[in-house]
């Protein structure tokens, strides 16, 4: 796998330039958190990388080689969880689903703590459970790159951590290039190898969490006073204190 690469990427809607001159490289097995205030262009950038928007510039490793999951991952249907999983590989399935494919789908569901829901219908699940099923389906496709827009937005705290831990593990094991848009800067600091900060459609910072998440940058971009520190294990912490 070659990773995900964008050069001079731009997206315009009407006369408005939403994404402007973005250069981005994500290596296989690298977990990148995409941060920025509302309106920064995070969702648009992910859609552009997934090949869902008309763009200028070049993208390699995205498009058909990527799996994209939006914030709203679809309405509930009468499909079972396992049937929804298998749709992730519908293009490669024959008239009969091979046992190894079923086992692979079951393994991914188990990794997200969803094994007990395999036979349940999607329309009987909570919004958070459906979110996790569609995330598992995206991983099951085995894409080169995984593009996730706020995948934890509908989840409680435990499941937020479970999902991000699982994504990071999948990223390493399957050598996927992963970009996750996140609002929670603490989670971005904890789970990401690298953080890309977007504002006004441009990349303002790109690097390791401790170089991007400074109190001064958070104040400038988010207009929030925050304390940036370290845990007992050496991890980075970000604690919002007040609106600046």
């Amino acid at each position: 796998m070659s990773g995900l690469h964008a050069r001079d990427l731009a997206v315009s809607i009407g006369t408005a330039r939403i994404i402007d001159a973005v250069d981005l490289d994500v290596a296989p097995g690298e977990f990148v958190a995409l941060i920025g205030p509302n309106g920064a262009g995070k969702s648009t950038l992910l859609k552009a990388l997934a090949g869902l928007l008309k763009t200028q510039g070049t993208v390699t490793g995205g498009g058909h080689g990527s799996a994209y999951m939006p914030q709203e991952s679809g309405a509930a249907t009468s499909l079972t969880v396992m049937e929804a999983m298998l749709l992730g590989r519908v293009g490669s399935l024959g008239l009969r689903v091979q046992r190894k494919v079923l086992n692979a789908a079951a393994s991914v569901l188990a990794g997200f703590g969803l094994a007990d829901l395999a036979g349940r219908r999607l329309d009987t699940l909570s919004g958070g459970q459906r979110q996790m099923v569609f995330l598992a389906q995206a991983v099951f496709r085995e894409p080169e790159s995984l593009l996730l827009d706020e995948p934890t937005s509908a989840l409680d705290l435990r499941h937020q951590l479970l999902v991000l831990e699982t994504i990071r593990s999948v990223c390493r094991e399957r050598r996927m290039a992963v970009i996750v848009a996140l609002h929670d800067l603490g989670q971005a600091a904890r789970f990401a190898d690298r953080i890309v900060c977007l504002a006004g459609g441009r990349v303002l910072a790109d690097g390791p969490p401790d170089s991007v998440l400074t109190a001064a940058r958070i104040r400038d971009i988010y207009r929030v006073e925050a304390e940036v520190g370290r845990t007992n294990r050496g991890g980075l912490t970000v604690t919002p204190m007040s609106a600046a």
Side-chain angles (χ1 to χ4, degrees), residues 81 84-85 114 122 125 129-138:
V81 168
M85 286 290 290
L114 300 170
L122 288 174
L125 304 182
Q129 288 172 322
R130 288 196 299 271
Q131 183 90 340
M132 291 180 69
V133 170
F134 285 111
L135 178 56
Q137 185 203 63

Side-chain angles (χ1 to χ4, degrees), residues 66-142:
S66 66
Y68 164 73
M69 193 179 87
Q71 293 183 49
E72 298 294 332
S73 52
T77 73
S78 59
L79 291 174
T80 68
V81 168
M82 180 57 76
E83 287 168 344
M85 286 290 290
L86 294 176
L87 282 178
R89 294 192 189 176
V90 67
S92 62
L93 297 179
L95 293 177
R96 295 183 62 183
V97 180
Q98 296 181 349
R99 174 56 57 181
K100 66 179 181 180
V101 176
L102 289 170
N103 290 341
S107 177
V108 173
L109 285 174
F112 283 91
L114 300 170
D116 293 343
L117 300 180
R120 288 269 301 274
R121 286 174 23 178
L122 288 174
D123 57 9
T124 69
L125 304 182
S126 70
Q129 288 172 322
R130 288 196 299 271
Q131 183 90 340
M132 291 180 69
V133 170
F134 285 111
L135 178 56
Q137 185 203 63
V139 169
F140 181 58
R141 295 177 196 169
E142 296 186 332

